[in-house]
Each structure stands twice: as structure tokens, then as C-alpha cells.
Amino acid sequence: MIEVCGITKKYGSKYALRDVSFTAREGEILGFLGPNGAGKSTTMNIITGYLSSNEGTVKVGGHEILQEPLKAKTLLGYLPEHPPLYGEMTVKEQLCFTYDLRRVRLNRREHITRCCELVRIEDVFHRRIKNLSKGYRQRVGLASALIGDPPILILDEPTAGLDPQQIIDMRELIKDLGKERTVLLSSHILSEVQAVCERVLVLSNGVVVADDKPAQLSRNLSGAGRVIARIAGPPDEVLQTLQGLPSLALAEDLGSIEEGSHDWALRAKEGADLRRELFFALAQKGWPLLCLRSDEMSLEDVFLQLTKGEDG
Amino acid sequence: MLAIMRRELAVYFRSPVGYIFLAVFYFFAGYFFFASNLFGMNADLGGVFGGMYTLLLFLIPILTMRLLSEERGKKTEQALLTAPVTLTGMVIGKYLAAVAVFAIGLSVTLVYALVIATMASPNWAMVFGNLIATLLLGMALIAIGVFISSLTENQVIAAVGGFGVGLGFLLLGALQAVFTGALGDIIGAVSFHERYHRFSLGIFRFEDILFFVSVAAVFLFLSVRVFEKRRWS
């Protein structure tokens, strides 16, 4: 649905994006993760045709954004970080204007009503936008992006400035919308990306540093097969036993957290599963295994590791 | 383009701008009509149109100052530039809205002509010549205002800039006498005054119409280029 190929954007002599490439498939929710200034909004602005890249191409539904901008833009619904709404208009007028601007052919009244229902703004339909709260404005912006039923939605930090309940509502809504559409979502809130997106693209200093499923990213960076075990037994003997396990690559004593036991970080050899061997070895010795958990990194850890050294 | 034009027209009359423009326009046009026609017992509307020549300089920037600068300042241009609309369509839509409001104001002169017609017989060629000249002049000044508005997000700068550039074009005719040779000819060629004056005498020349239309087209084109350039910078 979206093919971004080698885009580079410079502001003066500073690179905002450097050779960024990725694709977003039909019906996929793709998350854009990165600290402020990483290039998320710039990428989105280039995809939507608001900015032009210095190098590279962007295709939306097979249409190159610079060669066939009208065809490409018809397929896009865009909610920028600050929704571009006219404060002096009512919600109804704003949505009608977007409807006319996008030259939508659907039944005007039904379509606008459906968009309002989707984002739940029926109660402010006749109110002026300048009098609405930030949360409502964000939702009006999303309704505006939905006008014309575009198959691709590009949402730049859609939950910025919302209260916790609104954030939950917005995430649920995006998930629902993503069932039938390709959604590109940017955020620097990691839990949001983890909760909503099927795939994550991490940007740092204008460069894509990772592109994978959230869970896979954690696994790749923390290393497969790393577990933490809390074993109640004499540490020296436990270490000796652990070192005797055929699948073990490394054992590290993390010290005692619970009285009478020690926590051990255990890394298995590549492709091996340590857990069964560990269980039987400890059972044979009569040392209780009080706790065993995977030591995968959280998305926060992944993010920090990938964007290490980034300013701001 | 039509959606943008309709929105802009609605904005003029949702805010005080449209009403202020029309009120001031009607006030001064009425004053000129009273002073030169009713009080002066004169059937020639040249005095009304002559006064408007200067009036437009001050009033047109009120119409154009917010057209593009406000979109830029409030970042609402993002909605327009990411919608399936061409840049040209966007600029022309806004331009036509301003022209429409200006035309509403100007149409009052037709009422004055009809009032004169009840008492005397006006020179209709001169009336329409003046009307078309003022319309063309207004359209050119509006295009200049749109261009200045595209350069800044500050509406005051857009208004003052529009006034300054418009005044420059109108005063070029006076400079023609100062410069001689090729420079004088060039200044004469781009002077608004000479061409406006010919229309006001009821003399229709295709090249004069083409001149004002070209000025409008050039400044609208430049406005589009400003947006295009910003996308690349």
C-alpha cells in the first residue's frame, strides 16, 4: 500500500532523514517509534505530499506522490500532530468542507454521520471547533481524516495531549480502524505502539534502526533463551550444577532477593531450550525452583538501546 | 477549488472582514457619488471611479492579508496541501473568493449609473469602461495581495506589503517622466495608470485587458511557486 524507497530530507545542511525505506502492507498497523526530532513527522509529511524529499520515492497505492499527487492523496487520510482545523467553523462545517475538498461521492449526510459516530463526536456536531477541548479536536481531526473512507490512514501522535481515558478510547478506535485499513501511526509513547501496532519501525536521527514486530524486537535485542531463575540452594553447588547443563551458555549470579535463594541469569546456547534440563537437574538435587521468568527486554529497553546517543 | 472558494467566501462574512470592506467601500463610493454627481449635478461617473483608484490601494490588502498567511500561521494549510487538490486550485480558489467580495462592492456603481439614468443619460461606454477598468485593476491588486500573503504568516506584514507593492505599481506612471530611454519605456509598459486611464475614457484595447489579466496570472503563479518552493526547502 505504501512503498517508501530511499528517502532523504535535508533542512539546510542538516539531515532530517537519511535513506529511509520501508513498506506498509494492506491492512497493517505500522508504528513509527522514535524520540522527538527523529524524523517521524517529516516522514509522514513526505508520504502525504506536504513536503518533498531531496532523494527517493514514495508510492501510495502504486501512485508516486510527486508524479500522481491527486490519485495518491485520494487514498490517504492524514491526521497531523496538530489537527489542521478551522477554529471558526463548527464541526459540521469542517467535515462538510473536507467532504467537498476531497470530492467524495458517497452519500454526504450518511457518510459524515458515520464518521462522527466512529469517533464519537455527535454531541459536538454543531459546536465551533475553537470552543472544543483538545481531546474533541483530536477526534474531529480524525473524523476529518476518515472523510472519503481512505484505505490508508496516517496518524501523527494521535493521542498527544489526551487524558488517560481518551488515550484508551483512541487506541481502541485505531485498532478498529486498522481492521479494514492500512494505518501508519507515530508515537514516542512505547506502550501505545506495543498496544496497537503489529509492526514497529524505530527511527533515530533520521535513520531506520529497526523494523520488526514489537515482540521480535525485544527477543532480538535481549537475546533468545535468556531466563531468570530463583533457586533455593547453596550458591556454589547450584553454580556447579548449572554449569553441568548441556544447553547452558552462561550463568550469572544476580544475588539474593528472597531469603535462602539466589537469582541466576541463565543464557542458553543458540537454538536450545534450557528450561526442562534446569527443572530436572534441580529436582534431582532437591533444590526448589521458586521462580522462572523470561528475561526479554521491554519495548522501553529496546527503544533506549536502539536510540542510544540520540539527543533529546 | 470550488470548496476552497466557498469556504473563503463564508469566512469573509463570518468574520467582520467582509462587512468592514463593503462598509468602507460603500461609504467612500457613496461619498464620491454624492460629491461629484449628486451635489455637482454631473452625469459623468468618472469622479466615482477616479476616487476608487486610490481607495482600492487601501482596501484590497484588507481582503487579501489573511488569505494565505493565516493558513500558514495556523498550520491549516496542511489540510489543503495533503488533500487531493492542486496548489493552483488552492490559490485560485482563494483568489476568486476575494474577487467575488470585491465585485460585490463594485457592483454598487451600477446602482449609481441607474440612478443617474433616471435623471440624465449617462455615457454607457464610459460607465462600462470604468467598471471593467476598476474590476481589472482590483483583480491585479488582489493577485499581488495574494502573493504577498503567501510570503508571510503575519497578516499585518501581508497587508502593509500588499499596500506598498500596489502603491509602487500605481505610482510607476509618475516615474516614467523621470526616466528617459529604454528604462522609461519599460516603466511605462508596466504602469497601471496609463491603461486604467484609457479604459476610463471608454477606450477598450485588447492589450490593456491582457496586461491586467497577465499581472494577475503572474502573481498567482508566483504564489503557487512560493508554496511549491516551501515544500522543497
Side-chain angles (χ1 to χ4, degrees):
Chain A
M1 260 321 214
I2 300 176
E3 294 168 60
V4 174
C5 189
I7 56 169
T8 295
K9 178 73 181 174
K10 279 163 80 176
Y11 292 115
S13 59
K14 188 183 181 301
Y15 279 92
L17 293 176
R18 216 185 266 258
D19 197 25
V20 170
S21 299
F22 64 91
T23 56
R25 290 178 291 274
E26 204 169 331
E28 183 179 40
I29 305 183
L30 174 63
F32 255 48
L33 199 58
N36 293 329
K40 305 183 295 285
S41 298
T42 303
T43 309
M44 292 186 153
N45 282 332
I46 290 173
I47 293 171
T48 54
Y50 181 58
L51 292 177
S52 297
S53 59
N54 298 99
E55 284 169 38
T57 57
V58 174
K59 279 187 180 175
V60 178
H63 305 291
E64 221 278 324
I65 190 75
L66 292 178
Q67 309 294 329
E68 302 173 280
L70 299 191
K71 282 181 183 166
K73 286 175 184 177
T74 307
L75 302 173
L76 291 170
Y78 183 31
L79 173 65
E81 191 179 351
H82 303 286
L85 304 170
Y86 295 99
E88 78 280 358
M89 283 179 149
T90 64
V91 173
K92 180 188 176 186
E93 287 166 345
Q94 171 74 47
L95 297 180
C96 287
F97 170 62
T98 309
Y99 180 96
D100 293 335
L101 190 67
R102 297 184 66 88
R103 277 171 278 186
V104 181
R105 301 259 166 92
L106 302 162
N107 181 293
R108 186 189 185 97
R109 201 171 171 174
E110 276 177 23
H111 181 57
I112 290 175
T113 306
R114 196 163 59 81
C115 289
C116 289
E117 284 169 359
L118 264 176
V119 299
R120 276 173 275 161
I121 52 169
E122 306 98 306
D123 49 333
V124 293
F125 193 56
H126 295 288
R127 284 182 58 188
R128 286 205 192 285
I129 290 168
K130 66 180 172 192
N131 297 329
L132 297 181
S133 68
K134 164 87 179 157
Y136 267 116
R137 277 189 217 185
Q138 201 77 2
R139 282 193 260 169
V140 174
L142 185 56
S144 197
L146 289 170
I147 295 285
D149 266 343
I152 302 169
L153 278 180
I154 298 187
L155 313 174
D156 194 358
E157 305 203 6
T159 57
L162 303 187
D163 67 38
Q165 186 56 48
Q166 288 171 334
I167 289 175
I168 292 167
D169 290 348
M170 183 65 92
R171 284 180 192 164
E172 287 306 312
L173 176 62
I174 293 168
K175 270 193 205 172
D176 281 349
L177 294 171
K179 286 174 188 164
E180 295 169 353
R181 297 170 178 86
T182 302
V183 180
L184 215 70
L185 165 91
S186 87
S187 180
H188 57 256
I189 304 169
L190 309 163
S191 54
E192 182 166 286
V193 171
Q194 207 157 19
V196 176
C197 302
E198 297 153 16
R199 209 177 110 213
V200 181
L201 212 104
V202 184
L203 275 174
S204 175
N205 279 330
V207 178
V208 177
V209 289
D211 178 359
D212 217 327
K213 292 180 178 169
Q216 195 60 41
L217 272 180
S218 313
R219 253 177 251 136
N220 289 348
L221 282 170
S222 56
R226 190 177 144 104
V227 292
I228 303 288
R230 183 167 297 167
I231 301 165
D236 295 343
E237 286 179 45
V238 170
L239 179 62
Q240 226 171 6
T241 306
L242 291 173
Q243 282 169 341
L245 297 175
S247 300
L248 187 90
L250 186 76
E252 186 191 346
D253 189 352
L254 300 177
S256 175
I257 292 173
E258 196 177 330
E259 202 180 326
S261 69
H262 270 237
D263 281 12
W264 299 85
L266 308 174
R267 187 184 294 279
K269 287 176 181 164
E270 199 161 329
D273 187 350
L274 192 66
R275 293 170 300 176
R276 281 183 181 78
E277 281 177 21
L278 178 68
F279 171 79
F280 287 120
L282 296 179
Q284 208 174 14
K285 294 281 185 182
W287 297 327
L289 180 61
L290 302 177
C291 167
L292 182 69
R293 62 182 169 84
S294 164
D295 189 29
E296 281 179 7
M297 290 167 89
S298 69
L299 203 55
E300 271 84 353
D301 300 328
V302 172
F303 180 74
L304 288 173
Q305 183 151 339
L306 288 170
T307 59
K308 228 186 281 178
E310 170 125 356
D311 296 328
Chain B
M1 186 178 89
L2 281 178
I4 293 171
M5 184 186 159
R6 273 199 300 269
R7 196 199 91 79
E8 289 304 326
L9 267 176
V11 171
Y12 277 126
F13 295 105
R14 196 179 285 129
S15 67
V17 175
Y19 296 104
I20 288 174
F21 173 84
L22 290 178
V24 175
F25 193 98
Y26 288 153
F27 173 80
F28 281 101
Y31 171 74
F32 297 142
F33 179 60
F34 173 77
S36 81
N37 296 99
L38 299 183
F39 191 71
M41 305 284 278
N42 184 1
D44 180 11
L45 278 172
V48 174
F49 288 106
M52 276 183 192
Y53 184 77
T54 320
L55 182 65
L56 290 187
L57 263 187
F58 293 94
L59 286 186
I60 294 289
I62 294 175
L63 274 188
T64 57
M65 64 182 190
R66 50 155 290 279
L67 276 178
L68 294 170
S69 57
E70 189 183 43
E71 297 272 4
R72 194 173 161 192
K74 292 186 177 173
K75 304 227 181 295
T76 44
E77 63 177 11
Q78 215 165 358
L80 303 180
L81 298 178
T82 57
V85 184
T86 59
L87 282 176
T88 311
M90 182 189 88
V91 170
I92 290 181
K94 285 174 171 284
Y95 171 72
L96 289 180
V99 169
V101 177
F102 169 61
I104 293 170
L106 188 61
S107 62
V108 77
T109 54
L110 281 176
V111 178
Y112 299 156
L114 291 174
V115 171
I116 297 278
T118 59
M119 298 178 275
S121 163
N123 182 340
W124 287 107
M126 281 182 70
V127 169
F128 284 109
N130 273 305
L131 192 67
I132 290 169
T134 314
L135 185 64
L136 288 171
L137 175 71
M139 287 172 73
L141 289 174
I142 289 171
I144 292 170
V146 168
F147 170 65
I148 303 292
S149 172
S150 73
L151 297 175
T152 175
E153 53 188 77
N154 186 316
Q155 295 187 32
V156 176
I157 294 175
V160 174
F163 169 72
V165 176
L167 183 66
F169 269 98
L170 294 188
L171 292 181
L172 272 178
L175 281 179
Q176 196 184 359
V178 179
F179 296 98
T180 52
L183 189 57
D185 292 343
I186 292 170
I187 290 172
V190 294
S191 163
F192 281 20
H193 185 262
E194 198 58 31
R195 296 169 195 278
Y196 182 84
H197 185 62
R198 274 200 290 271
F199 274 120
S200 65
L201 295 174
I203 303 167
F204 286 90
R205 293 205 328 182
F206 178 70
E207 61 184 79
D208 291 338
I209 297 174
L210 192 65
F211 171 78
F212 284 111
V213 172
S214 301
V215 169
V218 165
F219 279 98
L220 292 179
F221 172 75
L222 290 175
S223 309
V224 172
R225 298 314 299 167
V226 168
F227 271 88
E228 188 63 37
K229 181 183 170 286
R230 221 166 40 231
R231 205 163 70 166
W232 288 92
S233 57

